Amino acid sequence: MTRRTALGDFRAYCWFHVRLGAVACIGGFLFGYDSGLMGAIITFASFQDDFRYGKGDATRTNSLVVGIQQAGAFVGCWAISPVAARWGRRSAIEICSTVFTLGAILQTINTHSLPAFYVGRVISGLGLGGSSVIISMFSSENAPKEIRGRLGSFYQLMYTFGIFTAYWVDYAVANRMGSVTRQWQVPIGLQIIPAVLLGVGMLTVTESVRWLAQKGRHEEAWESLKWIRADDSAETRAELEEIQASIAEEQAARSGFQYSELLERHNFKLLAIGVTVFLCQQSVGATALAYYGPQFFKLLVGAGPSNLLLTAIFGAVKIVACGTFVLFFAERIGRKSALIGGASFMAVCMIIITIVTKVRPPPGGGVITSSGIATVALIYLNIMAYNFSWGPLPWPIVSEIFPARIKEIGVATGVGSQWLWNFMYSFSVSYMMAAMNEYIFLFFGVADILIVLFTIFVLKETRGLSLEEVQTVYSSDKTRTKPFLAGSEVEGRSSIDKRGEPV
């Protein structure tokens, strides 16, 4: 049978990848929805009344409500790895779905107990952190190379769409339901739907071909690959053999590995880069804005009902910017160029916002002045720059810089640190705003400047390079890059890899 020549086979092939893409999209949406959810809920009088805390406890409570889930996610992203290695990717994702759902149910129940709510947040965080790691792994291991990058990009896009949805749900319940319990229960309870769909969706797809091959279950791997590709031709058999050969090479590369090797100069440098890249991602201020949108807009335009609307529009700007980057620019601009340009632009925005809000503070009373409009516009421009640079790009950078011998632990360390820095900022920003007021924007502006310097002197341009070429670039101190060239060439190498495909 020629590959996907029959109409029925082609439909089967397409239908599988619709389902595979849906699983990735649901996971990204769930991640984003929860990220954008709590910033507005903690401002609802109904939430404060039901959990019986006053203004004096607001800063500490807000930090715990928002940040404690990221602590659970940090643990979850590490705890799920042995589960996925032993029982498979499907089972791991189903477990994550179940754990998250249990935590969401506990949060939705009006227990009048903040400790019980915190427990629910931690439980959901365990499922959320685990799923963020395994879904990406499952998608990349099953997707054909022709659409692997697109599936990864759509995870980020659906993450942004999840934030957008959470903002508008919060805005709707704030204006439609009044100060009653269901005002905060509805947006929290709605996250149960994508969590359940994620678990159910895993029942419609096969196990990872790569995991089955790693376990020596070659017949099952063959059956899974045939079903995924809707094809049993020699070409598909050759693909399985290529997977098996790749696994053998990786096992040989990791043979005799000792953790002490991570302390060797080059390996330690790569680990430090992976951790620092995600520290930079969280330090530009976008995470703080996502979690505490209404509170930040209060600093810009004063207290008033417009804060939730401005936050909802902020979510719309994010999704338009992220979608534009993913669809049109992801493979057309140099990574280092984008990171330098994005951080530089964000630094300018944050510093100007600090000056304007200090010179022309908001009058309050719901009145938005011209200076308030200008600072809001700068926030929107800032998040657009983020979604063209430090939002999507750290993920492919960290996934490609490690050699095969330390790749798994290197990527896990980088991704794990993302949750650690995420927790650090989501927990501390509430205190920072209380202490610094408008100077918090200056803090992020200065951080952006330091990030520009880190990018110039430490990171290399890797767009268009094969993984082997990336290793060469990072292992040679003599390599010089051209960071501001969109179609970069490193040491005379083409921007197309050895297979003739962009990386």
Side-chain angles (χ1 to χ4, degrees):
M1 179 175 66
T2 304
R3 168 169 265 198
R4 294 188 293 278
T5 53
L7 179 59
D9 294 328
F10 179 76
R11 286 175 175 170
Y13 174 81
C14 291
W15 177 235
F16 169 79
H17 292 105
V18 167
R19 282 181 284 180
L20 180 61
V23 169
C25 288
I26 292 172
F29 178 88
L30 179 63
F31 185 7
Y33 183 85
D34 190 85
S35 297
L37 185 63
M38 297 307 301
I41 288 178
I42 56 180
T43 68
F44 292 168
S46 59
F47 185 81
Q48 297 168 6
D49 292 341
D50 282 337
F51 288 96
R52 301 165 183 170
Y53 67 93
K55 291 184 178 180
D57 300 318
T59 299
R60 176 175 58 85
T61 302
N62 293 350
S63 294
L64 285 171
V65 166
V66 175
I68 201 168
Q69 179 162 285
Q70 277 61 52
F74 174 71
V75 175
C77 75
W78 290 99
I80 199 62
S81 295
V83 175
R86 182 169 183 177
W87 286 294
R89 316 318 192 200
R90 288 180 62 201
S91 297
I93 294 174
E94 288 168 354
I95 290 171
C96 290
S97 169
T98 301
V99 170
F100 183 93
T101 301
L102 292 175
I105 291 172
L106 184 56
Q107 292 174 64
T108 306
I109 298 171
N110 188 8
T111 61
H112 299 288
S113 169
L114 279 172
F117 191 83
Y118 296 152
V119 170
R121 294 287 289 167
V122 171
I123 293 173
S124 288
L126 291 171
L128 189 64
S131 66
S132 70
V133 173
I134 303 303
I135 288 173
S136 298
M137 184 186 300
F138 178 80
S139 298
S140 65
E141 289 179 347
N142 272 344
K145 62 184 180 182
E146 296 88 351
I147 64 171
R148 185 179 296 125
R150 182 166 295 175
L151 279 180
S153 297
F154 270 99
Y155 183 90
Q156 173 71 18
L157 179 60
M158 290 305 294
Y159 166 79
T160 307
F161 185 67
I163 293 178
F164 164 81
T165 304
Y167 287 161
W168 282 99
V169 169
D170 285 343
Y171 177 71
V173 298
N175 287 278
R176 297 282 183 176
M177 292 187 175
S179 297
V180 295
T181 296
R182 67 177 183 273
Q183 184 187 46
W184 62 265
Q185 283 181 317
V186 168
I188 291 177
L190 284 176
Q191 64 187 329
I192 296 172
I193 297 175
V196 171
L197 289 176
L198 177 61
V200 173
M202 292 311 301
L203 301 176
T204 70
V205 295
T206 62
E207 181 55 88
S208 163
V209 176
R210 189 176 183 83
W211 179 81
L212 291 170
Q214 285 175 335
K215 294 298 181 180
R217 294 158 61 173
H218 300 296
E219 285 302 317
E220 293 178 65
W222 170 237
E223 293 298 323
S224 179
L225 185 61
K226 283 196 302 181
W227 187 77
I228 292 170
R229 302 293 185 259
D231 176 58
D232 61 358
S233 67
E235 186 178 353
T236 303
R237 175 65 74 176
E239 183 178 355
L240 179 61
E241 292 173 355
E242 181 181 350
I243 291 172
Q244 293 168 332
S246 174
I247 291 172
E249 290 175 2
E250 291 176 3
Q251 291 174 340
R254 293 193 296 268
S255 178
F257 171 77
Q258 301 290 328
Y259 282 98
S260 59
E261 295 177 34
L262 298 175
L263 299 178
E264 294 176 4
R265 180 179 178 182
H266 179 63
N267 290 340
F268 187 80
K269 175 184 175 182
L270 293 178
L271 287 171
I273 290 174
V275 170
T276 306
V277 163
F278 278 114
L279 173 60
C280 292
Q281 184 194 52
Q282 299 300 309
S283 297
V284 298
T287 295
L289 287 165
Y291 287 133
Y292 294 97
Q295 291 87 337
F296 274 98
F297 285 111
K298 180 181 177 181
L299 291 175
L300 298 179
V301 300
S306 62
N307 292 338
L308 286 178
L309 177 59
L310 293 173
T311 303
I313 296 172
F314 173 79
V317 172
K318 281 173 65 72
I319 195 170
V320 170
C322 184
T324 302
F325 177 80
V326 168
L327 295 176
F328 302 108
F329 292 98
E331 295 296 342
R332 296 186 179 183
I333 57 178
R335 291 175 184 171
K336 187 169 181 177
S337 310
L339 293 175
I340 293 173
S344 300
F345 187 85
M346 287 186 283
V348 172
C349 289
M350 288 297 189
I351 292 172
I352 293 176
I353 288 172
T354 306
I355 295 172
V356 173
T357 52
K358 187 63 179 177
V359 175
R360 299 285 297 274
V367 178
I368 301 179
T369 63
S370 58
S371 59
I373 294 173
T375 55
V376 169
L378 286 170
I379 285 290
Y380 292 163
L381 290 172
N382 180 87
I383 204 62
M384 290 174 66
Y386 172 79
N387 279 284
F388 269 71
S389 56
W390 283 98
L393 291 179
W395 302 96
I397 288 173
V398 170
S399 69
E400 68 191 9
I401 64 174
F402 297 102
R405 188 166 181 81
I406 64 167
K407 188 176 186 67
E408 287 190 359
I409 193 170
V411 174
T413 300
V415 173
S417 74
Q418 187 268 346
W419 283 109
L420 179 63
W421 306 131
N422 193 311
F423 166 71
M424 182 186 74
Y425 276 110
S426 61
F427 182 82
S428 63
V429 162
S430 184
Y431 289 98
M432 292 170 65
M433 283 192 289
M436 301 172 69
N437 293 314
E438 67 272 7
Y439 287 110
I440 192 171
F441 297 107
L442 179 61
F443 171 86
F444 289 123
V446 173
D448 286 326
I449 294 173
L450 296 176
I451 289 166
V452 170
L453 297 177
F454 165 77
T455 307
I456 291 174
F457 292 108
V458 177
L459 296 185
K460 311 292 186 181
E461 180 59 77
T462 59
R463 189 189 77 88
L465 302 184
S466 69
L467 293 179
E468 293 79 11
E469 291 171 327
V470 172
Q471 307 311 315
T472 300
V473 167
Y474 273 96
S475 63
S476 174
D477 293 332
K478 297 180 179 180
T479 302
R480 294 291 181 266
T481 62
K482 300 176 181 179
F484 291 99
L485 292 179
S488 67
E489 294 183 356
V490 182
E491 294 292 341
R493 295 183 184 272
S494 171
S495 62
I496 302 297
D497 74 3
K498 295 176 182 179
R499 297 183 303 273
E501 299 170 351
V503 176

Coordinates of all heavy atoms in Angstrom, one line a residue, residues 22-79:
A22 N -5.6 18.2 19.3 CA -6.6 18.6 20.3 C -6.1 18.3 21.7 O -6.3 19.1 22.6 CB -7.9 17.8 20.1
V23 N -5.4 17.1 21.9 CA -4.9 16.8 23.2 C -3.8 17.9 23.6 O -3.9 18.4 24.8 CB -4.2 15.4 23.2 CG1 -3.4 15.2 24.5 CG2 -5.2 14.3 23.1
A24 N -2.9 18.3 22.7 CA -1.9 19.3 23.0 C -2.6 20.6 23.3 O -2.2 21.4 24.2 CB -0.9 19.4 21.9
C25 N -3.6 20.9 22.5 CA -4.3 22.2 22.7 C -5.1 22.3 24.0 O -5.1 23.3 24.7 CB -5.3 22.5 21.5 SG -4.4 22.9 20.0
I26 N -5.7 21.2 24.4 CA -6.5 21.2 25.6 C -5.5 21.4 26.8 O -5.8 22.1 27.7 CB -7.2 19.8 25.8 CG1 -8.4 19.8 24.8 CG2 -7.8 19.7 27.2 CD1 -9.1 18.4 24.8
G27 N -4.4 20.7 26.7 CA -3.4 20.9 27.8 C -2.9 22.3 27.9 O -2.7 22.9 29.0
G28 N -2.6 22.9 26.7 CA -2.1 24.3 26.8 C -3.2 25.2 27.2 O -2.9 26.2 28.0
F29 N -4.5 25.0 26.8 CA -5.6 25.8 27.2 C -5.8 25.8 28.7 O -6.0 26.8 29.4 CB -6.9 25.4 26.5 CG -8.1 26.2 26.9 CD1 -8.4 27.4 26.3 CD2 -8.9 25.7 28.0 CE1 -9.5 28.1 26.7 CE2 -10.0 26.5 28.3 CZ -10.3 27.6 27.7
L30 N -5.7 24.5 29.3 CA -5.9 24.3 30.7 C -4.8 25.1 31.5 O -5.1 25.8 32.5 CB -5.8 22.9 31.1 CG -6.0 22.5 32.5 CD1 -7.3 22.9 33.0 CD2 -5.8 21.0 32.7
F31 N -3.6 25.0 31.1 CA -2.4 25.7 31.7 C -2.7 27.2 31.7 O -2.6 27.9 32.7 CB -1.2 25.3 30.9 CG 0.1 25.9 31.5 CD1 0.1 26.5 32.7 CD2 1.3 25.8 30.8 CE1 1.3 27.0 33.3 CE2 2.5 26.2 31.3 CZ 2.5 26.9 32.6
G32 N -3.1 27.7 30.5 CA -3.3 29.2 30.4 C -4.5 29.7 31.2 O -4.5 30.7 31.8
Y33 N -5.6 28.9 31.1 CA -6.8 29.3 31.8 C -6.6 29.4 33.3 O -7.0 30.4 33.9 CB -7.9 28.3 31.6 CG -9.3 28.7 32.2 CD1 -10.2 29.5 31.6 CD2 -9.6 28.2 33.5 CE1 -11.4 29.8 32.1 CE2 -10.8 28.5 34.1 CZ -11.7 29.4 33.4 OH -12.9 29.7 34.0
D34 N -5.9 28.5 33.9 CA -5.6 28.6 35.3 C -4.6 29.7 35.6 O -4.7 30.3 36.7 CB -5.0 27.2 35.8 CG -4.9 27.2 37.3 OD1 -5.9 26.8 38.0 OD2 -3.9 27.5 37.9
S35 N -3.7 30.0 34.7 CA -2.7 31.1 34.9 C -3.4 32.4 35.0 O -3.0 33.3 35.7 CB -1.7 31.1 33.8 OG -0.9 29.9 33.9
G36 N -4.5 32.6 34.2 CA -5.1 33.9 34.1 C -6.3 34.0 35.1 O -7.0 35.1 35.1
L37 N -6.6 33.0 35.8 CA -7.9 32.9 36.6 C -7.9 33.7 37.8 O -8.9 34.5 38.1 CB -8.1 31.4 36.9 CG -9.5 31.1 37.5 CD1 -10.6 31.4 36.6 CD2 -9.5 29.6 37.9
M38 N -6.9 33.5 38.7 CA -7.0 33.9 40.1 C -6.8 35.4 40.3 O -7.2 36.0 41.3 CB -6.0 33.2 41.0 CG -6.3 31.7 41.0 SD -8.0 31.2 41.5 CE -8.2 32.0 43.1
G39 N -6.1 36.1 39.4 CA -5.8 37.5 39.6 C -7.0 38.4 39.8 O -7.0 39.3 40.7
A40 N -8.1 38.1 39.1 CA -9.4 38.9 39.3 C -10.2 38.3 40.5 O -10.8 39.0 41.2 CB -10.2 38.8 38.1
I41 N -10.2 37.0 40.7 CA -11.0 36.3 41.7 C -10.6 36.8 43.1 O -11.5 37.1 43.9 CB -10.9 34.8 41.6 CG1 -11.7 34.3 40.4 CG2 -11.4 34.1 42.9 CD1 -11.6 32.8 40.1
I42 N -9.3 37.0 43.3 CA -8.9 37.5 44.6 C -9.3 39.0 44.9 O -9.2 39.4 46.0 CB -7.4 37.4 44.8 CG1 -6.6 38.1 43.7 CG2 -7.0 35.9 44.9 CD1 -5.1 38.0 43.8
T43 N -9.8 39.7 43.9 CA -10.4 41.0 44.1 C -11.9 41.0 44.4 O -12.4 42.0 44.7 CB -10.1 41.9 42.9 OG1 -10.8 41.5 41.8 CG2 -8.6 41.9 42.5
F44 N -12.5 39.8 44.2 CA -14.0 39.8 44.4 C -14.3 39.8 45.8 O -13.8 39.1 46.7 CB -14.5 38.5 43.8 CG -14.5 38.4 42.3 CD1 -14.7 37.2 41.6 CD2 -14.2 39.5 41.5 CE1 -14.7 37.0 40.3 CE2 -14.1 39.4 40.1 CZ -14.4 38.2 39.5
A45 N -15.3 40.7 46.2 CA -15.7 40.8 47.6 C -16.4 39.4 48.0 O -16.3 39.1 49.2 CB -16.7 41.9 47.7
S46 N -17.0 38.7 47.1 CA -17.6 37.5 47.4 C -16.6 36.4 47.9 O -16.8 35.7 48.8 CB -18.4 36.9 46.2 OG -17.5 36.7 45.1
F47 N -15.4 36.4 47.2 CA -14.4 35.5 47.6 C -13.8 35.9 49.0 O -13.6 35.0 49.8 CB -13.3 35.5 46.5 CG -12.2 34.5 46.8 CD1 -12.3 33.2 46.4 CD2 -11.0 34.9 47.4 CE1 -11.3 32.3 46.6 CE2 -9.9 34.0 47.6 CZ -10.1 32.7 47.2
Q48 N -13.6 37.1 49.2 CA -13.1 37.6 50.5 C -14.1 37.3 51.6 O -13.7 36.9 52.7 CB -12.7 39.1 50.4 CG -11.6 39.4 49.4 CD -11.5 40.9 49.1 OE1 -12.2 41.7 49.7 NE2 -10.7 41.2 48.1
D49 N -15.3 37.5 51.3 CA -16.4 37.3 52.4 C -16.5 35.8 52.7 O -16.6 35.4 53.9 CB -17.7 37.8 51.9 CG -17.7 39.3 51.8 OD1 -16.9 40.0 52.4 OD2 -18.6 39.9 51.1
D50 N -16.5 34.9 51.7 CA -16.7 33.5 51.9 C -15.5 32.9 52.6 O -15.6 31.9 53.4 CB -16.9 32.8 50.6 CG -18.3 32.9 50.1 OD1 -19.2 33.2 50.9 OD2 -18.5 32.8 48.8
F51 N -14.3 33.4 52.4 CA -13.1 32.8 53.0 C -12.6 33.7 54.2 O -11.6 33.5 54.8 CB -12.0 32.6 52.0 CG -12.3 31.5 51.1 CD1 -12.8 31.7 49.8 CD2 -12.0 30.2 51.5 CE1 -13.1 30.6 49.0 CE2 -12.3 29.1 50.7 CZ -12.9 29.3 49.4
R52 N -13.4 34.7 54.5 CA -13.3 35.4 55.8 C -12.0 36.0 56.1 O -11.3 35.7 57.1 CB -13.8 34.5 56.9 CG -15.2 33.9 56.7 CD -15.5 32.8 57.6 NE -16.8 32.2 57.4 CZ -17.3 31.1 57.9 NH1 -16.5 30.3 58.6 NH2 -18.5 30.7 57.6
Y53 N -11.5 36.8 55.2 CA -10.3 37.6 55.5 C -10.4 39.0 55.1 O -11.2 39.3 54.2 CB -9.0 36.9 54.8 CG -9.0 37.0 53.3 CD1 -8.4 38.1 52.6 CD2 -9.6 36.1 52.5 CE1 -8.4 38.2 51.3 CE2 -9.6 36.2 51.1 CZ -9.0 37.2 50.5 OH -9.0 37.3 49.1
G54 N -9.7 39.9 55.8 CA -9.9 41.3 55.5 C -8.7 41.9 54.8 O -7.8 41.2 54.3
K55 N -8.7 43.3 54.7 CA -7.7 44.0 53.9 C -6.3 43.7 54.6 O -5.3 43.7 53.8 CB -8.0 45.5 53.9 CG -9.2 45.8 53.0 CD -9.4 47.3 52.9 CE -10.6 47.6 52.0 NZ -10.8 49.1 51.9
G56 N -6.3 43.6 55.9 CA -5.0 43.4 56.5 C -4.3 42.1 56.1 O -3.1 42.0 56.2
D57 N -5.1 41.1 55.7 CA -4.6 39.8 55.3 C -4.5 39.6 53.8 O -4.1 38.6 53.3 CB -5.4 38.7 55.9 CG -5.5 38.7 57.4 OD1 -4.4 38.9 58.0 OD2 -6.6 38.5 58.0
A58 N -4.9 40.7 53.1 CA -5.1 40.5 51.6 C -3.7 40.2 50.9 O -3.7 39.3 50.1 CB -5.7 41.8 51.0
T59 N -2.7 40.9 51.3 CA -1.4 40.7 50.6 C -0.9 39.2 50.7 O -0.5 38.6 49.8 CB -0.3 41.7 51.1 OG1 -0.8 43.0 50.8 CG2 1.0 41.4 50.3
R60 N -0.9 38.8 52.0 CA -0.4 37.4 52.2 C -1.3 36.4 51.6 O -0.9 35.4 50.9 CB -0.4 37.1 53.7 CG 0.0 35.7 54.1 CD 0.2 35.6 55.6 NE -1.1 36.0 56.3 CZ -2.1 35.1 56.5 NH1 -2.0 33.9 56.1 NH2 -3.1 35.5 57.2
T61 N -2.6 36.6 51.7 CA -3.6 35.6 51.1 C -3.5 35.6 49.6 O -3.5 34.5 49.0 CB -5.0 36.0 51.5 OG1 -5.1 36.0 52.9 CG2 -6.0 35.0 50.9
N62 N -3.4 36.8 49.0 CA -3.3 36.8 47.5 C -2.0 36.1 47.0 O -2.1 35.4 46.0 CB -3.2 38.3 47.0 CG -4.5 39.0 47.3 OD1 -5.5 38.4 47.6 ND2 -4.5 40.3 47.1
S63 N -0.9 36.3 47.7 CA 0.3 35.6 47.3 C 0.2 34.1 47.4 O 0.6 33.4 46.5 CB 1.5 36.1 48.2 OG 1.7 37.5 48.0
L64 N -0.4 33.6 48.5 CA -0.6 32.2 48.7 C -1.6 31.6 47.6 O -1.3 30.6 47.1 CB -1.0 31.9 50.1 CG 0.0 32.0 51.2 CD1 -0.6 31.9 52.6 CD2 1.1 31.0 51.0
V65 N -2.7 32.3 47.4 CA -3.7 31.8 46.5 C -3.1 31.7 45.1 O -3.3 30.7 44.4 CB -4.9 32.7 46.5 CG1 -5.8 32.4 45.3 CG2 -5.7 32.6 47.8
V66 N -2.4 32.7 44.7 CA -1.8 32.7 43.3 C -0.5 31.8 43.2 O -0.4 31.0 42.3 CB -1.5 34.1 42.8 CG1 -0.8 34.1 41.5 CG2 -2.8 34.9 42.8
G67 N 0.3 31.9 44.2 CA 1.7 31.3 44.1 C 1.8 29.9 44.5 O 2.6 29.1 44.0
I68 N 0.9 29.4 45.4 CA 1.1 28.1 46.0 C 0.9 27.0 44.9 O 1.4 25.9 45.0 CB 0.2 27.9 47.2 CG1 0.8 26.7 48.1 CG2 -1.2 27.6 46.8 CD1 0.1 26.7 49.5
Q69 N 0.1 27.3 43.9 CA -0.1 26.3 42.9 C 1.1 26.0 42.1 O 1.4 24.9 41.6 CB -1.3 26.6 42.0 CG -1.5 25.6 40.8 CD -2.9 25.8 40.2 OE1 -3.9 25.4 40.8 NE2 -2.9 26.3 39.0
Q70 N 1.9 27.1 41.9 CA 3.1 27.0 41.1 C 4.1 26.1 41.9 O 4.9 25.4 41.3 CB 3.8 28.3 40.8 CG 3.2 29.0 39.6 CD 1.7 29.3 39.8 OE1 1.2 29.8 40.8 NE2 0.9 28.9 38.8
A71 N 4.1 26.2 43.2 CA 4.9 25.3 44.0 C 4.5 23.8 43.8 O 5.4 23.0 43.7 CB 4.8 25.6 45.5
G72 N 3.2 23.6 43.8 CA 2.8 22.2 43.4 C 3.2 21.8 42.0 O 3.6 20.6 41.8
A73 N 3.1 22.7 41.1 CA 3.5 22.4 39.7 C 5.0 22.1 39.6 O 5.4 21.2 38.8 CB 3.2 23.6 38.8
F74 N 5.8 22.8 40.4 CA 7.2 22.5 40.4 C 7.5 21.1 40.8 O 8.3 20.4 40.3 CB 8.0 23.5 41.3 CG 9.4 23.2 41.5 CD1 10.3 23.4 40.5 CD2 9.9 22.7 42.8 CE1 11.7 23.2 40.7 CE2 11.2 22.5 42.9 CZ 12.1 22.7 41.9
V75 N 6.8 20.6 41.9 CA 7.0 19.2 42.3 C 6.4 18.3 41.3 O 7.0 17.2 41.0 CB 6.2 19.1 43.7 CG1 6.3 17.6 44.1 CG2 6.9 19.9 44.8
G76 N 5.3 18.7 40.7 CA 4.6 17.8 39.7 C 5.4 17.5 38.5 O 5.4 16.4 38.0
C77 N 6.1 18.5 38.0 CA 6.9 18.3 36.8 C 8.1 17.4 37.0 O 8.5 16.7 36.0 CB 7.4 19.6 36.2 SG 8.8 20.4 37.1
W78 N 8.6 17.2 38.2 CA 9.6 16.2 38.5 C 9.0 14.9 38.9 O 9.5 13.8 38.5 CB 10.5 16.7 39.7 CG 11.3 17.9 39.4 CD1 11.1 19.2 39.6 CD2 12.6 17.8 38.7 NE1 12.1 20.0 39.1 CE2 13.0 19.2 38.6 CE3 13.3 16.8 38.1 CZ2 14.2 19.5 37.9 CZ3 14.5 17.2 37.5 CH2 15.0 18.5 37.4
A79 N 7.9 14.9 39.6 CA 7.3 13.6 40.1 C 6.7 12.8 39.0 O 6.7 11.6 39.1 CB 6.2 13.9 41.1

